[in-house]
């Protein structure tokens, strides 16, 4: 898969892959045996991938989360679910193409799947508004959650958005209200809910479909209060300082797990999710299955209580009663300022 | 590149500038009227000529809204910790220290119990002066506790917002405070208890996209800026100028997102009337 764009730090891998492909083609054409050379190159490729992908900086992970070939919600829906029927519209204003939703089956069990969808290529991206929903997208999402709740089926959301759209129409139609309302209503849903951050988890636009019993995140996805560029522009007065901002805000899957915000990191194939859709879909499928089994066993009242308690614990503060650390397990508490 | 660089020349006037002794007089930025400071204070910092609402502080709102002597502050000891070890031009820890010094407060909200015309309420008033009223873990936790207090005592909740949004220095933890507060508001709603949101200038970002937009009734002060995305971000994204009155309280009223725009001097009366209506209590005598 060498068509399409790739990132700067992927270049050595792409070049080596092309070299291997060339050698294979040549060997076949001339009928010569190059298996020894090939296995050397393959080993080199594996090492190279490991070198690059085990030392990713936060901003490199952000780039992977935004990779133009990154699997999007519809790619996961195709691979992890069956019997998909997409449902449209918020029954009030419009159908937001940046937010997809529909009925599906997971292991035969009826579920509602909702996600932000980016486009492939300019035309589709314009139609999908680059995965940035308007208020009608959030209202559509909530309508679908209610539909699932009515029939007692779980809700699975796939989060991948650069943010809720900042525009005139969005403000006129109540972007803030639409998100706020979703946060509150998701908290009270009686059915099991799981969110999976598959790519960009940018700010309130991501959270607007993200108040769930379990929050999973792909290894190279991120979740943040503001984009690294936005943070850099405000605090460093320079959008180019995004790598520093990305590091400072602790937005990687590992950081988020450590901060007690996400419940599980779904490991991506070496080279990133975009290099092997089937493998990442299997990993997501497996993680969702395990969590869904657990939370489905709880009764509804208990589930709502646990969900509330989960968010209740998030954050770090100190008082005369001591320090409430935003840390998982027994790792040392942050130093009080 | 500086975002605030002035490219156009300032408008020049031929008349001499009126110099004001700052301690006695105040100039209204809206109509230019010269206001006697004492008069302005008596009018709860509203211009007597044009009705411009000057920003006022947390203590002013507590005094304005609550019955005299009824306020009891709670959770004042809660303060932020630098959980991420965040450093931009200075460290978050240092920034916090400076704001604590400057505002004599631990964070950007004051919470407690008080009474509005004898109706006991759990109240929170945000402080824009503390890091732009940004919501981090402490604001989230204090709002959460204020909601829990309302539930526990079965009393209404009133939150006066003034915020630039989520606090970036706390990263995703600040984002999650939106989830935390909204989740507890769901619990408040289940308990059938009133929540009145009062949105003042400015109420933006994550605070708007959580509790400031979740009141059973939402009141806004005249001309307060209320919105989700910052005007500059929107302008950059769409590449055109924004309409006049964009993201003002009146704009939200027009589009159906606040229940009423209430002048500051009417705020207590209107909230009191609302609470009494909601709770089915006896109405107060009409004002003269």
């Amino acid at each position: 898969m060498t068509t399409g764009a790739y990132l700067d730090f992927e270049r050595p891998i792409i070049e080596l892959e092309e070299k291997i492909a060339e050698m294979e083609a040549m060997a076949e054409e001339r009928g010569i045996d190059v298996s020894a050379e090939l296995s050397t190159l393959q080993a080199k490729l594996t090492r190279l991938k490991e070198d690059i992908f085990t030392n990713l900086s936060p901003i490199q992970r952000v780039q992977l989360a935004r990779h133009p070939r990154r699997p999007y919600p519809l790619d996961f829906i195709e691979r992890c679910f069956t019997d998909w029927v997409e449902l449209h519209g918020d029954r009030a204003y419009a159908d937001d193409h940046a937010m997809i939703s529909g009925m599906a089956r997971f292991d035969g069990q009826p579920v509602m799947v909702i996600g932000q969808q980016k486009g492939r290529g300019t035309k589709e991206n314009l139609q999908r508004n680059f995965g940035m929903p308007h208020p009608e997208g959030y209202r559509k999402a909530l309508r679908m959650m209610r539909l699932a709740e009515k029939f007692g089926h779980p809700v699975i959301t796939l989060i991948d958005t650069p943010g809720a759209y900042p525009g005139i129409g969005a403000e006129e139609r109540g972007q803030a209200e639409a998100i706020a309302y979703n946060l509150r209503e998701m908290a009270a849903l009686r059915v099991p809910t799981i969110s999976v951050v598959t790519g960009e988890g940018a700010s309130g636009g991501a959270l607007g479909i993200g108040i769930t019993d379990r929050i999973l995140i792909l290894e190279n996805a991120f979740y943040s209060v503001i984009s690294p560029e936005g943070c850099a522009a405000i605090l460093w007065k320079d959008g180019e300082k995004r790598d520093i901002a990305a590091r400072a805000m602790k937005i990687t899957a590992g950081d988020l797990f450590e901060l007690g915000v996400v419940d599980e990191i779904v490991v991506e194939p070496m080279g990133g999710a975009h290099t092997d859709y089937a493998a990442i879909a299997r990993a997501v499928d497996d993680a969702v299955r395990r969590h869904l089994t657990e939370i489905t066993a709880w009764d509804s009242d208990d589930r709502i209580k646990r969900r509330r308690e989960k968010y209740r614990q998030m954050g770090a503060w100190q008082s005369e009663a001591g320090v409430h650390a935003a840390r998982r397990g027994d790792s040392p508490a942050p130093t009080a300022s | 590149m500086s975002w605030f660089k002035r490219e156009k020349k300032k408008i020049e006037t031929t008349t001499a500038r009126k110099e004001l002794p700052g301690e006695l007089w105040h100039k209204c930025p809206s109509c230019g009227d010269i206001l006697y400071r004492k008069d302005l204070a008596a009018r709860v910092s509203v211009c007597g000529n044009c009705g411009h609402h000057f920003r006022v502080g947390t203590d002013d709102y507590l005094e304005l809204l609550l019955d005299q002597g009824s306020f009891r502050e709670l959770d004042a000891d809660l303060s932020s910790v630098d959980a991420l070890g965040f450093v931009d031009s200075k460290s978050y820890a240092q920034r916090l220290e400076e704001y604590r010094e400057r505002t004599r407060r631990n964070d950007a909200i004051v919470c407690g119990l008080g009474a509005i015309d004898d109706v006991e309420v759990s109240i929170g008033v945000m402080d824009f002066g503390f890091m732009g009223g940004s919501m981090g873990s402490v604001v989230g936790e204090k709002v959460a506790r204020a909601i829990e207090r309302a539930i526990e005592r079965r009393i209404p909740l009133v939150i006066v917002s003034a915020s630039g949004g989520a606090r970036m220095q706390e990263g995703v933890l600040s984002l999650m405070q939106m989830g935390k507060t909204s989740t507890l508001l769901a619990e408040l709603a289940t308990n059938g208890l009133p929540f009145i949101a009062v949105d003042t200038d400015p109420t933006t970002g994550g605070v708007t996209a959580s509790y400031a937009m979740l009141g059973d009734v939402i009141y806004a002060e005249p001309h307060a800026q209320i919105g989700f995305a910052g005007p500059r971000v929107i302008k950059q994204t769409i590449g055109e100028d924004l309409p006049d009155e964009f993201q003002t309280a009146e704009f939200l009223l027009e589009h159906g997102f606040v229940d009423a725009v209430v002048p500051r001097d009417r705020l207590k009366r209107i909230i009191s009337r609302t609470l009494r209506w909601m709770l089915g209590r006896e109405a107060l005598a009409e004002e003269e």
Side-chain angles (χ1 to χ4, degrees):
Chain A
M1 227 175 18
T2 52
T3 51
Y6 53 86
L7 305 169
D8 277 352
F9 62 87
E10 289 182 296
R11 188 185 294 264
I13 296 169
I14 303 286
E15 281 170 359
L16 192 52
E17 279 174 346
E18 279 170 354
K19 199 167 157 189
I20 291 170
E22 262 171 43
M23 190 180 281
E24 278 171 341
M26 193 184 71
E28 190 159 333
E29 201 183 297
R30 302 194 187 160
I32 47 176
D33 181 22
V34 288
S35 53
E37 289 87 340
L38 270 177
S39 69
T40 316
L41 283 179
Q42 287 289 2
K44 197 177 158 193
L45 180 64
T46 307
R47 265 201 317 278
L48 185 64
K49 276 190 182 176
E50 275 172 15
D51 271 0
I52 293 172
F53 279 84
T54 48
N55 293 303
L56 291 171
S57 69
I59 199 67
Q60 285 176 324
R61 291 190 195 274
V62 170
Q63 288 174 280
L64 283 170
R66 294 171 177 165
H67 200 292
R69 287 190 286 121
R70 183 100 182 152
Y72 296 150
L74 282 173
D75 299 306
F76 287 104
I77 288 166
E78 195 184 319
R79 288 167 182 80
C80 303
F81 301 90
T82 59
D83 303 275
W84 166 249
V85 180
E86 188 172 352
L87 302 174
H88 297 271
D90 69 343
R91 296 273 170 87
Y93 180 78
D95 182 42
D96 190 335
H97 303 294
M99 186 79 81
I100 53 153
S101 54
M103 303 177 283
R105 296 219 174 219
F106 185 72
D107 281 345
Q109 138 110 44
V111 293
M112 176 64 73
V113 190
I114 298 165
Q116 294 107 344
Q117 180 75 20
K118 298 175 183 174
R120 304 243 179 244
T122 311
K123 196 177 160 208
E124 201 202 348
N125 249 324
L126 288 174
Q127 188 217 355
R128 300 232 179 250
N129 201 29
F130 300 85
M132 291 184 281
H134 279 75
E136 48 272 24
Y138 293 99
R139 295 189 179 119
K140 164 177 159 181
L142 186 62
R143 178 170 89 81
M144 301 307 169
M145 292 178 207
R146 293 243 185 278
L147 185 63
E149 187 181 37
K150 176 170 179 176
F151 298 103
H153 302 321
V155 174
I156 296 162
T157 69
L158 304 169
I159 295 173
D160 186 10
T161 181
Y165 187 65
I168 294 175
E171 296 286 326
E172 284 175 338
R173 299 195 291 279
Q175 190 72 283
E177 191 274 348
I179 292 171
Y181 193 69
N182 276 21
L183 304 184
R184 190 182 72 191
E185 297 306 301
M186 289 189 84
L189 282 178
R190 302 193 63 76
V191 293
T193 56
I194 295 180
S195 52
V196 187
V197 187
T198 60
E200 292 187 85
S203 195
L207 196 67
I209 58 165
I211 304 296
T212 48
D213 297 316
R214 291 289 159 87
I215 310 170
L216 318 181
I217 187 166
L218 268 58
E219 188 184 356
N220 295 314
F222 72 95
Y223 209 162
S224 176
V225 64
I226 186 172
S227 71
E229 290 81 3
C231 178
I234 296 170
L235 291 183
W236 280 268
K237 317 275 181 245
D238 179 4
E240 301 292 307
K241 298 264 165 61
R242 62 180 195 156
D243 53 332
I244 301 171
R247 200 176 293 279
M249 284 197 294
K250 304 267 193 288
I251 62 175
T252 66
D255 292 328
L256 296 164
F257 185 79
E258 180 74 8
L259 290 167
V261 169
V262 300
D263 298 291
E264 183 173 330
I265 300 169
V266 181
V267 178
E268 294 186 19
M270 193 59 78
H274 62 283
T275 60
D276 194 341
Y277 279 23
I280 190 62
R282 273 197 306 277
V284 167
D285 190 274
D286 170 66
V288 168
R289 178 170 297 105
R290 276 184 287 105
H291 287 277
L292 196 56
T293 307
E294 272 181 50
I295 61 177
T296 304
W298 306 337
D299 81 68
S300 299
D301 289 337
D302 186 32
R303 194 181 298 119
I304 291 170
K305 221 171 112 189
R306 283 175 189 249
R307 196 183 296 149
R308 187 168 65 234
E309 189 54 25
K310 171 190 183 69
Y311 287 91
R312 187 72 189 75
Q313 290 306 321
M314 289 187 192
W317 65 87
Q318 60 186 347
S319 67
E320 281 157 13
V323 175
H324 176 97
R327 297 275 177 223
R328 205 168 271 279
D330 297 317
S331 47
T335 45
S337 59
Chain B
M1 188 190 78
S2 168
W3 288 18
F4 298 104
K5 203 173 147 197
R6 187 184 287 275
E7 285 169 358
K8 281 188 211 150
K9 237 179 137 186
K10 283 185 190 172
I11 297 167
E12 288 179 45
T13 52
T14 46
T15 48
R17 221 183 130 170
K18 292 172 193 166
E19 287 300 329
L20 300 171
E23 68 276 13
L24 278 179
W25 302 91
H26 213 86
K27 189 174 172 181
C28 174
S30 184
C31 69
D33 211 20
I34 310 300
L35 308 165
Y36 188 41
R37 222 173 235 284
K38 266 191 181 163
D39 287 347
L40 191 61
R43 290 173 183 279
V44 288
S45 294
V46 175
C47 171
N49 184 44
C50 72
H52 173 80
H53 281 53
F54 288 84
R55 279 184 191 169
V56 295
T58 305
D59 294 332
D60 298 302
Y61 281 111
L62 290 168
E63 196 186 315
L64 179 76
L65 297 178
L66 299 176
D67 300 347
Q68 207 177 1
S70 72
F71 183 61
R72 181 155 65 93
E73 187 176 359
L74 293 160
D75 300 323
D77 60 321
L78 257 67
S79 64
S80 296
V81 292
D82 182 13
L84 308 184
F86 195 100
V87 183
D88 51 278
S89 58
K90 55 181 90 160
S91 75
Y92 178 42
Q94 191 190 340
R95 222 175 263 278
L96 283 169
E97 202 45 57
E98 286 173 13
Y99 277 102
R100 281 182 199 134
E101 191 104 330
R102 196 185 303 172
T103 62
R104 300 268 154 221
R105 256 189 249 293
N106 276 329
D107 216 287
I109 192 167
V110 173
C111 292
L113 293 166
I116 297 176
D117 287 335
D118 298 322
V119 176
E120 194 192 14
V121 294
S122 173
I123 190 168
V125 180
M126 298 191 73
D127 184 354
F128 190 71
F130 195 104
M131 286 188 84
S134 54
M135 171 164 64
S137 299
V138 168
V139 169
E141 177 65 16
K142 285 176 85 167
V143 169
R145 291 186 186 191
I147 300 168
E148 286 170 337
R149 232 169 352 248
I151 297 170
E152 204 174 293
R153 305 172 79 97
R154 308 211 55 82
I155 56 173
L157 173 73
V158 176
I159 297 178
V160 181
S161 293
S163 173
R167 190 172 294 170
M168 283 176 287
Q169 289 86 349
E170 291 190 25
V172 78
L173 294 178
S174 66
L175 182 71
M176 291 301 151
Q177 302 312 307
M178 293 166 65
K180 180 179 190 165
T181 54
S182 305
T183 306
L184 281 163
L185 284 175
E187 172 79 355
L188 186 80
T190 319
N191 278 270
L193 296 165
F195 167 34
I196 297 178
V198 180
D199 297 350
T200 73
D201 188 57
T203 298
T204 59
V207 167
T208 319
S210 57
Y211 52 84
M213 275 291 137
L214 289 175
D216 293 308
V217 162
I218 303 170
Y219 293 135
E221 281 197 341
H223 251 81
Q225 188 206 345
I226 305 166
F228 176 65
R232 204 168 48 211
V233 174
I234 298 174
K235 218 171 144 176
Q236 267 177 359
T237 308
I238 63 173
E240 51 187 281
D241 284 334
L242 303 175
D244 289 343
E245 305 288 298
F246 185 64
Q247 291 187 331
T248 58
E250 292 75 12
F251 175 91
L252 269 84
L253 181 73
E254 190 58 36
H255 288 95
F257 290 100
V258 299
D259 289 273
V261 176
V262 182
R264 193 174 290 153
D265 61 349
R266 299 277 299 149
L267 212 45
K268 179 170 184 178
R269 189 73 185 174
I270 295 295
I271 292 174
S272 158
R273 195 176 282 177
T274 308
L275 291 175
R276 283 172 177 273
W277 183 90
M278 288 172 169
L279 299 169
R281 297 249 193 114
E282 195 89 12
L284 293 179
E286 291 275 342
E287 285 167 313
E288 288 303 307

